[in-house]
Amino acid sequence: MQEDLLINITPQETRVALIAHAAVQELHIERTLERGLAGNVYLGRVVRVLPGMQSAFIDIGLERAAFLHVADLWQRMLGSNGEGRQNAPPVPIEKLVFEGQSLLVQVIKDPIGAKGARLSSQISLAGRLLVHLPQDEHIGISQKIEDPALRDALRQRLTTQAQAHDPNASLGFIVRTNAEDASDAELLDDISYLRKTWSTIDARMRQAQSPALLYQELSLAQRVLRDLVTDATRSIQIDSRENFERLQAFAAEYMPRVAGLLQLYRGERPLFELYNVDAEIEKALGRRVDLKSGGYLIIDQTEAMTTVDVNTGGFVGARNFDDTIFKTNLEAAQAIARQLRLRNLGGIILLDFIDMGSAQHRAAVLDELKKSLARDRVKVSVNGFSQLGLVEMTRKRTRESLAHQLCEPCPVCAGQGQVKTARTACYDILREILREAKQFSPREFRIVASNAVVDLFLEEESAHLAELSDFIGKPIALQVEPGYVQHQFDIVLL
């Protein structure tokens, strides 16, 4: 399967679409104003040491000094070579750093409100498969890789590749979960990229005066070259000449094998419009996904989980009802796998396929789902059909879902997806007036509500309003407030 990557860059944001089978499979969006500092490496200057808090404030060139706690100091600074660290007594921060000292640090938490950034002097550089710890000499394995034999094999393979690349360079690496099935060539590519990055940081540090930025975490466009390019990638099209040249220079220095895939898009039509990406983004923000057969999916995302409901809709094309259900579920399995990638849905996911009486049909739908999910670069785990006929699965969360990135809860319904009917609001108002009449004795009650609610009071609910007015012995007036939605109202005592 061949893939194309489209990179649309404006001063406000960068958008990336992965195209395969003439359809958008993945979307990645990064906004300039939302890009944080986490991951950036600085040569900082210690401006104040606080023994009482066992921390120090470091000037890294930002508006506010950043914060470094003793627990985030590089452990070799504590005088240990890695052995017996847990048993060694803690060394006070005032014996490790002093005011005016230049210190290599990395941002681990962005500034929030009045708080400055949080720092660590333990540098870690993330690649697609590995995390490089250039100050250390040990190889760690992600705890999510549980098989002891696989852990040992990965450690041995990485050691061999790292020493073959440069026997004198640091062996400090952590193997990430997605390296579980990586080839030796892929591991070597990551080792080469990470060591090259560290060499650049080290060279800049030797020439810089603190405070200075030595390394900025990669932009989305650069991460695309590092993380999304595979052997199936046919082209990488960029619609900005300035950024095309910048990515060319980046690829030439860090990943030469990718440089030949870069293409500058020169067409008159916008790149995303040409491939219908903008329309796909709008569809991916909706609940309903129509299938070619006439069936459809309903996708609901909540805090706890995501649910996907499959419906036959208008599909009646098969010879009998069982075949109709089976074909709809097969098509739905393919569409679900694509929608999970497109919307970047993670966590617990429940799939409610249309009930199938045949065990053979259920097995075929499950196989089709697993086959379609195999293209997903994010780790996915699929269980079989439960006793309730649901398929339970999980997909690793890697970033915010597309809806959470681009949308916010509706100010009218507060994210519930529904509002009270005008009649419900009428009855709420009548009860509220009755409560108020027991506590206060105004000259008149005035209802301020939406046009729909006032119309209902003037027509179908006029008798109930008159009855309440007679019961409390007070007149009730009506006033339309155009800015109110139908569940909003106020009771004014005059």
Side-chain angles (χ1 to χ4, degrees):
M1 177 184 67
Q2 291 189 317
E3 300 174 344
D4 294 287
L5 286 163
L6 314 180
I7 304 180
N8 165 236
I9 302 178
T10 64
Q12 299 81 27
E13 67 179 4
T14 298
R15 303 188 299 170
V16 175
L18 188 151
I19 310 294
H21 297 300
V24 183
Q25 304 294 329
E26 289 184 29
L27 284 165
H28 302 262
I29 298 174
E30 180 180 78
R31 289 177 173 162
T32 305
L33 291 176
E34 297 171 358
R35 189 177 174 189
L37 304 174
N40 289 2
V41 178
Y42 296 84
L43 182 63
R45 185 177 70 252
V46 180
V47 293
R48 192 177 178 192
V49 179
L50 304 174
M53 295 177 60
Q54 283 299 291
S55 54
F57 285 108
I58 314 293
D59 179 12
I60 57 174
L62 303 180
E63 183 179 345
R64 291 188 301 273
F67 178 82
L68 175 68
H69 190 266
V70 67
D72 295 316
L73 277 165
W74 178 31
Q75 293 195 40
R76 192 174 293 174
M77 289 182 65
L78 303 183
S80 171
N81 61 2
E83 299 294 332
R85 284 176 179 159
Q86 295 179 352
N87 298 326
V91 180
I93 193 168
E94 61 269 25
K95 294 187 177 181
L96 299 171
V97 298
F98 54 88
E99 292 184 12
Q101 177 184 0
S102 293
L103 198 63
L104 184 67
V105 290
Q106 184 173 34
V107 177
I108 57 175
K109 191 173 183 180
D110 285 324
I112 301 176
K115 295 183 177 179
R118 181 158 182 172
L119 305 176
S120 171
S121 62
Q122 168 79 67
I123 308 301
S124 64
L125 305 173
R128 183 164 64 96
L129 305 172
L130 308 170
V131 176
H132 187 27
L133 307 175
Q135 300 148 312
D136 284 337
E137 290 294 336
H138 73 279
I139 293 177
I141 309 292
S142 168
Q143 292 182 351
K144 293 184 179 180
I145 302 177
E146 298 177 350
D147 183 0
L150 180 57
R151 293 172 66 89
D152 290 341
L154 281 169
R155 184 177 285 106
Q156 183 57 49
R157 286 175 56 205
L158 180 57
T159 301
T160 301
Q161 295 299 323
Q163 289 178 340
H165 178 262
D166 184 350
N168 299 317
S170 164
L171 275 178
F173 288 98
I174 296 174
V175 180
R176 303 177 72 173
T177 309
N178 56 349
E180 198 169 349
D181 302 317
S183 66
D184 287 346
E186 289 174 320
L187 288 175
L188 190 57
D189 280 349
D190 235 26
I191 291 168
S192 176
Y193 160 71
L194 291 170
R195 282 180 169 170
K196 177 73 173 176
T197 302
W198 170 245
S199 296
T200 303
I201 294 171
D202 190 47
R204 289 175 180 169
M205 180 181 65
R206 297 178 190 281
Q207 299 176 357
Q209 295 289 326
S210 60
L213 173 64
L214 304 179
Y215 167 78
Q216 186 171 25
E217 183 62 22
L218 299 185
S219 66
L220 173 59
Q222 291 169 326
R223 295 199 304 274
V224 164
L225 304 192
R226 184 190 70 187
D227 298 341
L228 300 188
V229 176
T230 66
D231 292 338
T233 305
R234 180 172 54 185
S235 69
I236 306 167
Q237 299 186 55
I238 303 122
D239 63 0
S240 160
R241 176 178 292 278
E242 178 185 352
N243 287 281
F244 170 72
E245 293 172 354
R246 192 174 298 165
L247 289 176
Q248 269 192 321
F250 175 78
E253 183 172 3
Y254 292 102
M255 40 196 69
R257 69 181 184 87
V258 173
L261 301 174
L262 297 174
Q263 299 176 7
L264 176 62
Y265 175 71
R266 304 172 185 271
E268 294 184 3
R269 289 179 63 190
L271 180 60
F272 270 34
E273 182 183 315
L274 182 66
Y275 286 86
N276 207 34
V277 178
D278 287 323
E280 286 291 343
I281 292 175
E282 289 302 314
K283 290 179 183 177
L285 297 177
R287 293 179 66 223
R288 176 166 171 152
V289 179
D290 291 315
L291 305 177
K292 292 180 180 179
S293 64
Y296 61 92
L297 311 176
I298 296 294
I299 302 175
D300 286 311
Q301 186 180 358
T302 68
E303 285 191 32
M305 66 182 69
T306 298
T307 61
V308 183
D309 184 35
V310 183
N311 299 276
T312 54
F315 180 42
V316 292
R319 291 170 295 175
N320 57 57
F321 188 59
D322 286 344
D323 283 348
T324 299
I325 290 173
F326 178 52
K327 290 188 176 181
T328 302
N329 282 338
L330 279 178
E331 186 183 2
Q334 299 170 2
I336 287 169
R338 175 172 171 258
Q339 289 297 321
L340 296 183
R341 291 179 70 187
L342 186 62
R343 299 167 184 245
N344 195 40
L345 298 173
I348 299 171
I349 301 167
L350 293 182
L351 311 179
D352 186 9
F353 288 101
I354 307 168
D355 290 339
M356 294 173 286
S358 167
Q360 185 177 359
H361 283 178
R362 287 197 298 272
V365 168
L366 198 62
D367 286 344
E368 183 62 36
L369 176 66
K370 291 179 178 177
K371 178 183 174 183
S372 300
L373 288 170
R375 306 187 187 105
D376 201 330
R377 67 185 77 250
V378 176
K379 188 172 183 179
V380 175
S381 174
V382 181
N383 297 328
F385 282 88
S386 69
Q387 292 181 342
L388 297 176
L390 304 174
V391 174
E392 301 171 0
M393 63 171 289
T394 60
R395 186 173 184 270
K396 184 180 178 182
R397 294 185 191 274
T398 55
R399 51 192 167 88
E400 288 280 12
S401 69
L402 187 69
H404 284 165
Q405 272 191 297
L406 302 183
C407 304
E408 62 183 14
C410 169
V412 175
C413 70
Q416 294 182 14
Q418 54 191 10
V419 295
K420 290 181 179 179
T421 64
R423 194 176 304 278
T424 301
C426 285
Y427 296 162
D428 286 344
I429 290 169
L430 295 177
R431 283 190 295 270
E432 182 63 25
I433 291 176
L434 187 58
R435 280 194 294 269
E436 294 287 342
K438 291 179 179 179
Q439 300 180 54
F440 307 101
S441 183
R443 177 171 49 84
E444 176 185 287
F445 288 92
R446 178 171 296 174
I447 299 169
V448 181
S450 67
N451 191 71
V453 170
V454 171
D455 284 349
L456 205 56
F457 270 132
L458 291 173
E459 297 170 0
E460 298 175 34
E461 297 297 333
S462 59
H464 290 145
L465 190 64
E467 287 176 9
L468 179 62
S469 179
D470 291 342
F471 180 75
I472 64 176
K474 303 289 181 181
I476 302 175
L478 297 168
Q479 178 182 326
V480 173
E481 174 53 58
Y484 280 12
V485 292
Q486 60 191 28
H487 68 277
Q488 288 181 297
F489 64 86
D490 285 309
I491 309 297
V492 181
L493 281 61
L494 300 173

